[in-house]
Amino acid sequence: MAKIGVQAMMLKGKVSELGAYDTLARIGDIGYHAVEVSQIPMDEANVAEMARARTELGIEFGALSTALDAGPEGSADALTSEFDKIVADAKTLGATNLRIGMLPLALLESLDQVLDFCRRSDEQALKLAEHGISLYYHNHHIEFMKFDGRSLLDIINETAPNMRLELDVHWVQRGGNDPVRTLRKYADRADLVHLKDYRIGAIAPEVFKALAEGDRGAFMKAFSEVVQFAEVGEGTLDFKAIVEQSVANGVKYMFVEQDQLYGRDVFDALKTSHDNLVDLGFADLF
């Protein structure tokens, strides 16, 4: 049965402040009992606290994050250089899913580089499968750009047949596509989903003052930046239809995520998303 959890990228500041165990206890109090770990160092101390949260609090680790190749310091562990550690961490936390958050941006320069990334990722997916672990690719809006008439997401999907998809509904919308139709299109491959709302924010009063004073550039900058990340149920996406389609697809996990909080406390934002999903009738998925 599908389960709704939290994308723990949102919690990285709290983990630094409170520690992993106490942070996971707080989200458990809100009503979440599953997480996807991202942008939190998988060092010995954090992994130990996560394992304790799994044992004592019943927190499920629906997915962990990885990269194909080593990146800047502080980025996810890389499959090509830290494969054994990644597998060991996954087994410690009972995680059977790993996800790549995005391909390196420099690879977008050419189709050949994208294809090489896909082929090498597919090789890693096969290696992970030997350990009972599935590998996923998470989309942003850029995966809807096209090479030779095909979207990058379709190219990834076709060229790495052993790597599954994690669909982020906000980025699908920002990429100009309908989240429900996209979930339906990739139903056989996308069994991890990010629940992230899409909001059009208000333009601040000082921007109109700048416009009145002749600063059209300031206004156009604000005009182009009104698209925001939002708590689930506080934006424009139809989450009743999104969650229902995800459940119909047989997804494993749906992770609530909000890339920017605009001054809100992360626990308050997560409670808003939780309560709105409960109000939509999905209490049994937590």
Side-chain angles (χ1 to χ4, degrees):
M1 181 177 176
K3 190 160 193 171
I4 296 175
V6 173
Q7 219 294 348
M9 172 277 293
M10 298 178 65
L11 301 167
K12 59 186 178 182
K14 294 296 184 181
V15 169
S16 296
E17 175 189 349
L18 305 173
Y21 179 87
D22 287 344
T23 299
L24 294 172
R26 288 285 300 273
I27 68 160
D29 291 341
I30 294 170
Y32 296 97
H33 303 287
V35 294
E36 176 179 83
V37 180
S38 180
Q39 299 185 30
I40 295 171
M42 295 297 286
D43 55 35
E44 185 176 346
N46 279 340
V47 172
E49 288 204 20
M50 291 177 195
R52 180 184 166 209
R54 180 186 179 216
T55 300
E56 297 181 8
L57 305 175
I59 298 293
E60 294 181 22
F61 289 84
L64 306 180
S65 295
T66 189
L68 179 60
D69 298 309
E73 184 178 352
S75 57
D77 294 337
L79 289 165
T80 53
S81 58
E82 298 167 284
F83 186 90
D84 292 341
K85 177 190 180 298
I86 291 167
V87 170
D89 288 344
K91 291 186 180 298
T92 295
L93 299 175
T96 58
N97 306 306
L98 286 173
R99 40 88 68 179
I100 294 174
M102 192 175 184
L103 81 172
L105 296 175
L107 303 188
L108 296 170
E109 183 180 6
S110 73
L111 178 57
D112 285 344
Q113 292 182 92
V114 170
L115 293 175
D116 180 67
F117 169 84
C118 292
R119 294 186 187 107
R120 294 195 302 119
S121 296
D122 203 58
E123 291 172 1
Q124 295 296 326
L126 287 170
K127 285 179 62 179
L128 288 167
E130 295 175 4
H131 298 273
I133 299 171
S134 298
L135 182 64
Y136 291 76
Y137 181 87
H138 167 273
N139 73 282
H140 291 77
H141 58 345
I142 199 69
E143 284 81 9
F144 294 97
M145 69 179 288
K146 292 187 176 181
F147 287 101
D148 299 331
R150 291 188 300 157
S151 74
L152 177 57
L153 190 59
D154 279 338
I155 291 169
I156 292 170
N157 191 43
E158 293 163 9
T159 313
N162 296 289
M163 181 166 65
R164 303 185 67 76
L165 298 177
E166 177 179 64
L167 290 180
D168 184 310
V169 297
H170 171 101
W171 289 113
V172 169
Q173 176 78 10
R174 198 179 285 217
N177 289 266
D178 176 76
V180 173
R181 284 203 298 268
T182 303
L183 284 165
R184 195 175 298 129
K185 175 180 178 179
Y186 298 105
D188 62 332
R189 293 286 293 279
D191 44 22
L192 299 181
V193 174
H194 278 189
L195 303 181
K196 179 192 303 177
D197 216 335
Y198 181 102
R199 176 170 60 209
I200 302 300
I203 296 176
E206 57 267 23
V207 176
F208 289 99
K209 181 181 179 183
L211 180 63
E213 294 171 351
D215 189 352
R216 182 174 175 81
F219 181 85
M220 292 309 298
K221 182 176 186 297
F223 180 83
S224 66
E225 294 177 353
V226 294
V227 173
Q228 296 182 352
F229 304 98
E231 297 83 354
V232 172
E234 299 297 314
T236 62
L237 298 187
D238 183 354
F239 274 96
K240 184 171 177 57
I242 287 168
V243 174
E244 287 177 348
Q245 184 63 53
S246 298
V247 171
N249 286 1
V251 303
K252 300 174 182 177
Y253 292 95
M254 293 169 273
F255 299 109
V256 171
E257 183 183 32
Q258 188 176 349
D259 295 37
Q260 296 181 42
L261 298 173
Y262 312 101
R264 289 202 74 190
D265 177 78
V266 63
F267 295 125
D268 292 340
L270 284 170
K271 187 174 189 309
T272 296
S273 292
H274 172 275
D275 293 351
N276 286 343
L277 285 162
V278 169
D279 288 345
L280 286 172
F282 301 120
D284 59 328
L285 298 182
F286 287 94

